[in-house]
Amino acid sequence: MTIQLPLVNGALRTYEPRTEPLALTPGTPFTSRTVFSAAHVVADPFADTTPDSPAAVDWDATLAFRRHLWSHGLGVAEAMDTAQRGMGLDWAGAAELIRRSAAEAHSVGGRIACGVGTDQITGGTLAEIRAAYEEQLAVVEEAGAQAILMASRALAATARGPEDYLEIYGHLLRQAAEPVVLHWLGPMFDPALEGYWGSSDLDAATDTFLEVISAHPDKVDGIKVSLLDAQREIDLRRRLPQGVRCYTGDDFNYPELIAGDEQGFSHALLGIFDPLGPLAAEAVRVLDTGDTPGFRALLDPTVELSRHLFQAPTRFYKTGVVFLAWLAGHQSHFTMVGGLQSARSLPHFARAYELADGLGLFPDPKLAEERMKNLLSLYGVNQ
């Protein structure tokens, strides 16, 4: 069987899908790395909503996907940008997601960390921003989950300089019940975060970021760095206080960063591990044995797919993630909260399908092929 896939110039080319998926099964917990997958939410396709409406979530399918990730040994990073925080999922929806996912994690023994932000407000004074952070931190801690202090659009808009970041984060770290993960999300993921940590000069911003950490090293479990700059992440992790982990959020360079070098390595908190979950888990278990070349042999071929999904505008990578979840049979439809299924082009989808199929990511290649053909027919491409 073959499928006709569109190219960017409007032409069609013939592609022959795989007939067998990559054989991947749940295995033992990881021993050498801590690995989180940021997870997407599944929309309710029957809800009568608009892109401006509060998100309508299919809770059963959303939680089932998290159980899939936990079954392979991955932790779940919940209510992050992969779950469309600030791009379709508001704070009320995120709070419900945190409560439900944390309860599910406790019931199955899965690891979970949840995003703490300020998205219940769009701006305000530093006191109001601090209060918004505190409200969300309380929800996460009451749910029994680890907190991830996310970058705040409101703080980026209000802060006058590095001192305001030091004040806000210092206050939050002092009151956090358990060590948190600090998240530095670059403007390629969210343009509203330009100049975070008080400067658009990344060297100056890094110094402020490290000052926050060094003042409260006992309250920082680790940092998640999403700047898509491998060398900057390496330089930063070498400057971290003893015991503070670096969780790579670099969806372009993750194999080399997780593998590490003679001076250290990164753990992982990645959106690309949503579609790559079982394969990524298998690679990390190989790394646990000390077989770095075997780890790279499994994970390096996935980088082309990741770079495709995260190509500019990078913030729309969520569309490709949900698209692949639909093709893989993790949900029955390709609908997203906020109508974000329209954020990528048909040639983009076609290439994502081809790359994912080539990696053997679809448990049922025939189902993925049928669903891809259905999508193509909606766009007028008849097979």
Side-chain angles (χ1 to χ4, degrees):
M1 297 295 293
T2 61
I3 183 171
Q4 299 296 309
L5 297 178
L7 303 173
V8 292
N9 63 4
L12 297 177
R13 76 177 192 84
T14 300
Y15 174 70
E16 184 175 347
R18 293 177 64 126
T19 57
E20 296 293 334
L22 194 63
L24 298 167
T25 58
T28 57
F30 311 138
T31 58
S32 66
R33 303 290 189 273
T34 300
V35 181
F36 289 95
S37 167
H40 74 280
V41 293
V42 183
D44 178 354
F46 301 111
D48 186 12
T49 62
T50 69
D52 294 329
S53 302
V57 177
D58 181 336
W59 294 113
D60 289 341
T62 293
L63 294 177
F65 187 75
R66 281 136 183 81
R67 291 193 296 272
H68 155 72
L69 294 173
W70 285 319
S71 75
H72 287 275
L74 298 159
V76 168
E78 188 58 275
M80 303 289 289
D81 57 298
T82 304
Q84 295 182 241
R85 278 296 280 279
M87 289 186 68
L89 187 71
D90 62 12
W91 166 236
E96 182 70 8
L97 178 63
I98 288 165
R99 294 186 183 102
R100 287 176 179 260
S101 290
E104 194 73 16
H106 298 323
S107 72
V108 301
R111 183 165 184 168
I112 188 167
C114 300
V116 171
T118 64
D119 46 329
Q120 70 272 54
I121 62 173
T122 56
T125 64
L126 289 179
E128 290 168 333
I129 292 167
R130 184 178 65 195
Y133 263 128
E134 290 173 335
E135 177 190 351
Q136 295 200 15
L137 179 61
V139 168
V140 171
E141 291 185 339
E142 287 167 7
Q146 184 179 18
I148 302 171
L149 295 185
M150 301 193 301
S152 163
R153 292 174 178 173
L155 182 55
T158 300
R160 296 157 297 179
E163 65 280 357
D164 289 339
Y165 290 89
L166 294 170
E167 176 186 339
I168 292 291
Y169 278 90
H171 178 88
L172 294 170
L173 290 172
R174 284 190 295 272
Q175 74 175 66
E178 300 292 340
V180 307
V181 176
L182 297 180
H183 187 190
W184 185 356
L185 189 69
M188 68 287 294
F189 288 92
D190 187 344
L193 299 177
E194 178 66 43
Y196 212 72
W197 305 111
S199 178
S200 293
D201 181 321
L202 290 180
D203 291 335
T206 297
D207 289 342
T208 302
F209 188 43
L210 287 167
E211 187 174 349
V212 169
I213 298 164
S214 63
H216 309 276
D218 59 321
K219 286 297 187 74
V220 181
D221 165 70
I223 62 169
K224 178 188 187 297
V225 187
S226 300
L227 298 175
L228 304 183
D229 184 333
Q231 190 57 53
R232 182 168 293 278
E233 178 176 322
I234 292 168
D235 293 342
L236 176 55
R237 80 184 181 203
R238 289 176 179 172
R239 297 174 64 188
L240 291 174
Q242 184 71 29
V244 176
R245 304 175 183 180
C246 180
Y247 293 93
T248 187
D250 188 333
D251 300 278
F252 282 7
N253 304 293
Y254 50 93
E256 65 189 80
L257 291 165
I258 297 170
D261 54 32
E262 66 282 353
Q263 297 186 49
F265 57 82
S266 295
H267 300 270
L269 197 166
L270 289 161
I272 191 57
F273 281 7
D274 180 303
L276 292 183
L279 178 55
E282 179 65 22
V284 175
R285 273 187 279 272
V286 170
L287 185 60
D288 286 344
T289 69
D291 183 3
T292 300
F295 165 80
R296 295 294 299 267
L298 282 170
L299 214 53
D300 282 0
T302 69
V303 171
E304 185 177 5
L305 171 64
S306 189
R307 287 179 176 246
H308 177 72
L309 296 183
F310 284 77
Q311 66 184 228
T314 301
R315 63 188 182 277
F316 294 128
Y317 76 88
K318 298 97 166 171
T319 301
V321 164
V322 176
F323 169 66
L324 294 182
W326 171 57
L327 293 185
H330 293 298
Q331 55 194 78
S332 62
H333 59 86
F334 179 36
T335 304
M336 297 177 66
V337 299
L340 209 64
Q341 67 272 12
S342 65
R344 292 295 198 187
S345 69
L346 184 61
H348 181 90
F349 292 136
R351 183 61 177 156
Y353 162 74
E354 182 179 1
L355 290 170
D357 180 73
L359 291 169
L361 296 184
F362 301 131
D364 185 345
K366 184 61 178 175
L367 174 66
E369 179 187 347
E370 291 173 352
R371 289 184 169 183
M372 187 67 214
K373 286 180 176 178
N374 287 337
L375 181 70
L376 289 166
S377 69
L378 291 176
Y379 282 78
V381 180
N382 297 312
Q383 302 297 313

